[in-house]
């Protein structure tokens, strides 16, 4: 059986290797993948929307639909984990009090967490807000924000993290992110443009169409950041406590 | 022969990683190990796409502020970056769903070994 598996893997691998014989050389500027749409994006991103980071420009504007549904996929994944695992919420959250039980933990860990958490949040907001001009954007910033809350859950305990970022709040924020994204698209539609065509926003904002597209990208990235942050924390909370939302790691 | 190899050795590495994942997925009996193998498989695909966007002598796809005429050959292809950016985050979310399913399976059957789950289900 083991030999048979190795045979299949070897066969598939050699077929794929044979297939790469026709592939372009690595790092070839004339490779077909780099010849068709991407030069258009690179040449027109600045003129179209004044966003130097072409990755953000494609992510939120040229391929806005794609990213919108990616956000919906993440939202759905978070909701399905919630449905699969979460059991202890109602009984536990009713007696949610602000009397935080401080379990005796390592003080070095607690102090390091206190110093690091504001820095992590600040950096995450920078990554989201500056995603037009430097590497970054909603997905990355959202994950960093979520990591900040996970750090609290790890350094203190799950109870404190849940009191700060309680289940109703993180569900609301996850839904809010998707709503922001689709509302921006809908507003563009109502103003006479296409769905997610942010240049229509220049009719209600005192900016040129190109700058309106840049602002639209920012709004959409904030929505993505919200959803990703809430879902990352919710996944961690559910998986590490098997849905009971207490004790944890 | 050597020339073809040096121009394409990157594909060799990616396919090696991919086959490692495939082998793990089909021959390991533990569902957790299968999941790890699936993640390795996924990383191989992400590496492959990112590699297809590389251009020799180019910079990251962020246009400089004092540019004059934009030459696309001086910036990496941004399209694979965008596609893989979303693929990574969605990959994490789906991995979470898989882990949640695994915990449910463990609750129900008391094991994540394939043959023990089958024995439990047949009872």
């Amino acid at each position: 059986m083991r030999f048979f598996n190795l045979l299949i893997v070897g066969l598939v691998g050699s077929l794929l290797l044979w297939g790469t014989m026709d592939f372009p050389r690595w790092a070839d500027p004339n490779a077909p993948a780099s010849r068709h749409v991407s030069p258009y994006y690179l040449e027109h991103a600045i003129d179209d929307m004044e966003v130097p980071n072409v990755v953000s420009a494609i992510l939120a504007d040229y391929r806005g639909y794609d990213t919108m549904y990616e956000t919906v996929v993440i939202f759905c994944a978070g909701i399905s984990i919630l449905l699969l695992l979460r059991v202890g919420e109602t009984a536990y959250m009713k007696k949610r009090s602000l009397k935080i039980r401080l379990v005796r933990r390592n003080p070095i860990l607690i102090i390091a967490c206190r110093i690091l958490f504001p820095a992590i949040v600040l950096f995450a907001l920078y990554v989201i807000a500056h995603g037009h001009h430097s590497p970054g954007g909603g997905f990355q910033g959202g994950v960093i924000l979520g990591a900040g809350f996970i750090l609290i859950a790890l350094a203190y305990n799950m109870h404190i993290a849940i009191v700060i970022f309680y289940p109703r709040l993180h569900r609301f924020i996850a839904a809010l992110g998707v709503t922001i994204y689709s509302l921006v698209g809908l507003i563009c539609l109502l103003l006479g443009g296409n769905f997610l065509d942010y240049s229509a926003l220049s009719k209600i904002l005192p900016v040129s169409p190109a700058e309106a597209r840049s602002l639209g990208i920012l709004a959409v990235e904030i929505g993505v950041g919200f959803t990703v942050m809430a879902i990352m924390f919710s996944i961690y909370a559910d998986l590490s406590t098997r849905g009971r939302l207490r004790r944890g790691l | 022969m050597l020339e073809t190899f040096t121009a394409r050795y990157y594909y060799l590495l990616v396919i090696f990683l991919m086959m490692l994942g495939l082998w793990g997925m089909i021959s390991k009996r533990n569902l957790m190990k299968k999941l790890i193998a699936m993640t390795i498989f996924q990383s191989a695909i992400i590496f492959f796409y990112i590699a297809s966007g590389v251009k020799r002598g180019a910079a990251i796809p962020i246009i400089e502020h004092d540019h004059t005429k934009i030459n696309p050959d001086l910036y990496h292809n941004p399209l694979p970056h965008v596609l893989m950016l979303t693929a990574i985050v969605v990959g994490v979310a789906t991995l979470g769903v898989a882990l949640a399913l695994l915990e449910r399976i463990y609750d129900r059957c008391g094991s994540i070994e394939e043959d023990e789950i089958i024995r439990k289900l047949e009872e």
Side-chain angles (χ1 to χ4, degrees):
Chain A
M1 196 60 197
R2 179 151 292 192
F3 173 74
F4 187 62
N5 289 344
L6 272 179
L7 192 75
I8 292 177
V9 169
L11 203 69
V12 175
S14 39
L15 273 176
L16 285 173
L17 266 184
W18 185 45
T20 58
M21 286 296 138
D22 304 337
F23 276 24
R25 301 160 60 92
W26 185 63
D28 182 7
N30 290 316
S34 310
R35 276 295 112 191
H36 291 290
V37 281
S38 76
Y40 175 87
Y41 292 148
L42 283 167
E43 281 163 0
H44 293 79
I46 285 276
D47 298 336
D48 281 355
M49 59 193 81
E50 303 192 354
V51 174
N53 184 356
V54 187
V55 174
S56 283
I58 300 174
L59 184 81
D61 190 294
Y62 291 123
R63 286 176 171 264
Y65 273 103
D66 194 3
T67 312
M68 186 173 136
Y69 287 108
E70 300 278 8
T71 317
V72 174
V73 166
I74 294 166
F75 179 71
C76 291
I79 295 298
S80 54
I81 291 170
L82 213 129
L83 289 173
L84 277 169
L85 282 182
R86 196 163 287 183
V87 284
E89 192 176 304
T90 45
Y92 182 61
M93 294 319 296
K94 266 177 196 156
K95 49 182 180 178
R96 176 173 70 84
S97 63
L98 287 174
K99 249 192 287 167
I100 294 174
R101 277 181 300 131
L102 261 178
V103 185
R104 202 174 281 277
R105 297 300 280 269
N106 192 342
I108 296 171
L109 199 63
I110 302 274
I111 288 171
C113 174
R114 273 189 197 152
I115 296 169
L116 272 176
F117 181 69
I120 290 174
V121 171
L122 196 66
F123 179 64
L125 295 177
Y126 159 77
V127 167
I128 294 179
H130 209 256
H132 300 49
H133 297 272
S134 61
F139 284 102
Q140 299 92 320
V143 170
I144 298 171
L145 266 177
F149 287 107
I150 292 172
L151 178 69
I152 287 187
L154 282 171
Y156 294 82
N157 54 16
M158 191 42 108
H159 183 86
I160 289 171
I162 285 292
V163 167
I164 295 170
F165 203 31
Y166 48 94
R168 184 172 281 188
L169 181 68
H170 66 234
R171 275 201 305 265
F172 174 74
I173 287 182
L176 180 73
V178 179
T179 315
I180 289 175
Y181 204 137
S182 37
L183 260 185
V184 171
L186 208 61
I187 290 171
C188 302
L189 197 67
L190 292 176
L191 289 171
N194 288 324
F195 190 69
L196 290 173
D197 174 14
Y198 313 124
S199 57
L201 291 173
S202 65
K203 287 177 188 164
I204 50 167
L205 297 171
V207 288
S208 68
E211 283 167 344
R213 285 176 88 165
S214 163
L215 287 174
I217 291 173
L218 181 63
V220 157
E221 297 268 29
I222 289 170
V224 172
F226 274 150
T227 302
V228 172
M229 167 187 73
I231 294 299
M232 283 301 143
F233 180 74
S234 151
I235 289 176
Y236 171 77
D238 278 335
L239 285 179
S240 66
T241 63
R242 318 188 80 194
R244 291 184 189 88
L245 297 183
R246 69 185 107 179
R247 293 210 184 90
L249 293 178
Chain B
M1 186 59 206
L2 189 66
E3 203 271 334
T4 21
F5 177 74
T6 51
R8 291 179 182 78
Y9 69 96
Y10 194 87
Y11 298 123
L12 191 71
L13 296 179
V14 166
I15 288 169
F16 174 72
L17 203 57
M18 201 168 171
M19 288 308 111
L20 207 64
L22 184 67
W23 180 76
M25 275 198 285
I26 61 178
S27 64
K28 289 289 167 192
R29 290 296 171 85
N30 188 314
L31 292 182
M32 192 70 199
K33 286 180 182 166
K34 270 186 199 288
L35 211 57
I36 293 170
M38 193 190 78
T39 315
I40 293 172
F41 192 87
Q42 194 181 17
S43 327
I45 294 169
I46 289 170
F47 284 141
F48 172 73
Y49 269 84
I50 294 294
S52 74
V54 176
K55 295 171 189 167
R56 194 172 294 284
I60 56 169
I62 295 177
I63 312 287
E64 288 168 20
H65 276 296
D66 49 347
H67 66 275
T68 45
K69 175 94 176 65
I70 297 165
N71 179 7
D73 285 346
L74 293 182
Y75 299 99
H76 290 309
N77 184 357
L79 206 51
H81 295 222
V82 175
L83 299 176
M84 289 309 109
L85 174 65
T86 50
I88 290 167
V89 181
V90 170
V92 170
T94 48
L95 184 67
V97 176
L99 286 170
L101 282 171
L102 220 59
E103 283 199 356
R104 296 298 294 166
I105 291 171
Y106 186 78
D107 283 347
R108 172 117 182 246
C109 305
S111 169
I112 49 171
E113 295 286 335
E114 250 179 8
D115 22 356
E116 282 181 41
I117 292 168
I118 291 170
R119 205 183 312 135
K120 191 88 183 172
L121 289 177
E122 279 171 352
E123 276 171 13

